[in-house]
Amino acid sequence: MNIPLAERMRPTRLDDVVGQTHLIGEGKILTNILKTGKIPNMIFYGPSGTGKTTVANICANAANRAFFKLNATTASLKDVRDIADKIDSYPGGILLYLDEIQNFNKKQQQSLLEYIENGKITLIASTTENPHFYVYNAILSRSTVLEFKNISPDEIKKAVIRAVKGVAGDYPDRKVTFSDEAVDHIANASGGDVRKALNAVEVCVLSQSYSMNEEISVTLDAAVDCTQTGSFAHDKNGDGHYDVISAFQKSIRGSDADAGIYYLARLLAGGDLITACRRLLVIASEDVGLAYPNAVVITKACVDSALQLGLPEARIPLAEAVILLANSPKSNSAICAIDEAMHEVETADTGSVPLHLKDSHYKGAVSLGRGVEYKYPHNYENAYVPQQYLPDKIKNRKYYIPRNNKTENSFKAYLEKIKGSGK
């Protein structure tokens, strides 16, 4: 059987696992748990290729438990029952590693409770999505959630060097060498994914093994050829996607044009033109708002241009919008005003529209007092006359609070002027 290099090089001890130094090492949670020999139910959350399966296997061995692995994408509850039925054959107990648990629906996840509560099975579930969104609360409350993070290039480099030594065993009659530059490139191009890095090592060797030379020598050029897909991965429905959107808006709100451009690039690299356009339109009103009212007009023009052009040219007007918005003065007065008003409308009795503002364009309206005392502002100096517009119960309510910027300061000065003259 042709077992992939990444599988053959899978560590069997925590000490050989690269990365995850916040979980593994002296005094860290996973290391301490394994020292007890007792494994609790756990959920491993993080990107692919960061050691979740490896650590689950090590946990099973440390607790002397039989290790069974299922993938929730293809598995069913019958598969879980079949494993539970084997408990008598394994005195040390069973550890079930359920990969991609988010693919089990609520009913299937609820059914797991029977097995983890009666102690027949210790569950380690993994997911690339935020478990607080995708895993049933009853499972979460019975499990310890541990986050696995992307692995740094320096840590991946250790795994690559070890893999080079491992793959050399496949060619006992030939010397296998990787240049330092090739090793560095593979470590940096893997995007924090050890599996991807080890697959690249294997492909590099295979691509050079056709040569009849005594030495299989992998250069930087060969490594680049074998990692042409790059390290970027984008899932429009994944948890990471929403993190990028969040960072995109927060960077522009924080007036960091460089970060805004970077996160725009990530969205566009994933082909997500629509999200980038929608988010820029939101930012123009939510974060720049009345501090620079023309920003939304310019942003709309950039978005329209981008949608007409399509990718890759769409990147240009969208970059223009990002830079404009990041460098514009900021005001959130509009969103604060409408959110405050909506909250009050939805949660409180605010009363009815004042009589003098009610519709009076029908026969009999005057006899009902509708619109009788309304004062038409254009009939007064500066088109302003004091009168009540809010319902009686909230007549003194203030929703709009001007921010300190040129435009809103001019609003404030104008209103003070006309309201002073209208008294």
Side-chain angles (χ1 to χ4, degrees):
M1 183 182 296
N2 185 21
I3 301 175
L5 177 65
E7 186 62 33
R8 287 185 280 142
M9 298 302 300
R10 190 182 295 279
T12 56
R13 304 183 311 147
L14 273 188
D15 290 344
D16 295 328
V17 175
V18 297
Q20 313 313 333
T21 53
H22 61 297
L23 301 176
I24 299 168
E26 189 62 34
K28 299 304 173 69
I29 183 170
L30 269 174
T31 300
N32 290 345
I33 287 174
L34 262 63
K35 286 179 180 178
T36 69
K38 298 178 181 179
I39 306 299
N41 298 307
M42 294 185 284
I43 296 174
F44 292 169
Y45 155 51
S48 298
T50 52
K52 299 188 296 295
T53 303
T54 296
V55 171
N57 210 329
I58 293 172
C59 287
N61 291 334
N64 195 30
R65 297 194 174 204
F67 182 76
F68 289 88
K69 178 182 177 181
L70 293 176
N71 190 303
T73 306
T74 55
S76 66
L77 286 175
K78 181 180 182 303
D79 297 314
V80 177
R81 284 194 294 269
D82 289 344
I83 291 172
D85 288 343
K86 299 175 182 178
I87 188 67
D88 292 337
S89 302
Y90 300 99
I94 288 174
L95 188 149
L96 170 63
Y97 179 65
L98 182 61
D99 198 11
E100 305 294 348
I101 189 175
Q102 74 273 10
N103 289 303
F104 263 16
N105 60 35
K106 183 177 180 179
K107 182 178 179 181
Q108 288 174 308
Q109 290 189 35
Q110 285 176 317
S111 298
L112 289 171
L113 293 175
E114 172 190 346
Y115 302 105
I116 65 177
E117 286 186 331
N118 64 22
K120 282 191 172 183
I121 288 176
T122 295
L123 175 70
I124 295 183
S126 75
T127 175
T128 55
E129 309 295 346
N130 191 327
H132 297 283
F133 297 153
Y134 291 93
V135 177
Y136 180 51
N137 281 337
I139 298 288
L140 279 176
S141 68
R142 291 164 174 80
S143 306
T144 300
V145 178
L146 300 179
E147 181 177 3
F148 282 60
K149 299 178 180 179
N150 274 326
I151 301 172
S152 70
D154 287 342
E155 289 292 323
I156 290 182
K157 185 175 178 179
K158 297 176 185 177
V160 171
I161 292 171
R162 193 161 62 223
V164 171
K165 294 177 181 177
V167 78
D170 297 337
Y171 302 88
D173 300 326
R174 302 172 73 181
K175 185 178 180 181
V176 178
T177 63
F178 277 63
S179 71
D180 291 342
E181 294 81 6
V183 170
D184 288 341
H185 174 77
I186 292 171
N188 282 285
S190 62
D193 186 330
V194 173
R195 186 185 302 110
K196 181 181 287 187
L198 300 195
N199 288 341
V201 169
E202 188 168 31
V203 171
C204 284
V205 173
L206 288 173
S207 70
Q208 301 300 309
S209 63
Y210 71 90
S211 169
M212 299 308 293
N213 296 333
E214 292 183 0
E215 182 175 337
I216 299 173
S217 179
V218 178
T219 63
L220 173 60
D221 288 342
V224 170
D225 287 342
C226 295
T227 55
Q228 288 183 0
T229 56
S231 61
F232 178 76
H234 182 81
D235 179 2
K236 290 183 182 180
N237 298 312
D239 185 46
H241 169 66
Y242 297 102
D243 290 339
V244 171
I245 297 171
S246 176
F248 181 50
Q249 180 160 2
K250 288 172 181 173
S251 297
I252 297 174
R253 178 185 297 150
S255 300
D256 191 327
D258 296 308
I261 288 291
Y262 166 75
Y263 290 114
L264 172 66
R266 288 189 60 162
L267 289 170
L268 298 184
D272 198 354
L273 176 61
I274 297 299
T275 294
C277 290
R278 292 183 66 249
R279 191 53 43 184
L280 285 169
L281 289 172
V282 168
I283 294 166
S285 293
E286 178 180 346
D287 296 307
V288 174
L290 292 171
Y292 181 30
N294 278 339
V296 70
V297 178
I298 299 171
T299 300
K300 178 63 165 59
C302 289
V303 165
D304 288 346
S305 295
L307 293 174
Q308 287 184 327
L309 289 168
L311 290 171
E313 287 86 354
R315 74 191 188 282
I316 305 169
L318 293 187
E320 181 182 350
V322 167
I323 295 168
L324 170 78
L325 295 174
N327 288 289
S328 294
K330 306 295 189 295
S331 171
N332 67 344
S333 58
I335 185 174
C336 288
I338 187 60
D339 283 355
E340 187 72 17
M342 290 189 71
H343 174 74
E344 191 148 38
V345 167
E346 292 168 355
T347 61
D349 177 10
T350 54
S352 60
V353 174
L355 272 176
H356 63 283
L357 298 184
K358 290 187 174 182
D359 179 28
S360 60
H361 292 86
Y362 57 92
K363 187 176 181 180
V366 173
S367 63
L368 295 174
R370 264 64 168 170
V372 174
E373 297 182 6
Y374 174 63
K375 299 174 183 178
Y376 186 57
H378 293 289
N379 291 337
Y380 298 83
E381 185 180 359
N382 295 321
Y384 174 77
V385 59
Q387 63 183 325
Q388 180 182 328
Y389 290 98
L390 283 169
D392 288 339
K393 289 186 177 182
I394 55 170
K395 64 180 181 179
N396 295 318
R397 193 73 168 86
K398 296 291 184 184
Y399 298 111
Y400 169 59
I401 308 298
R403 302 301 190 257
N404 185 21
N405 57 73
K406 182 178 179 180
T407 302
E408 291 184 273
N409 284 339
S410 68
F411 291 170
K412 185 178 179 181
Y414 167 73
L415 290 172
E416 288 175 349
K417 177 183 177 181
I418 65 167
K419 289 184 178 182
S421 64
K423 290 180 180 178

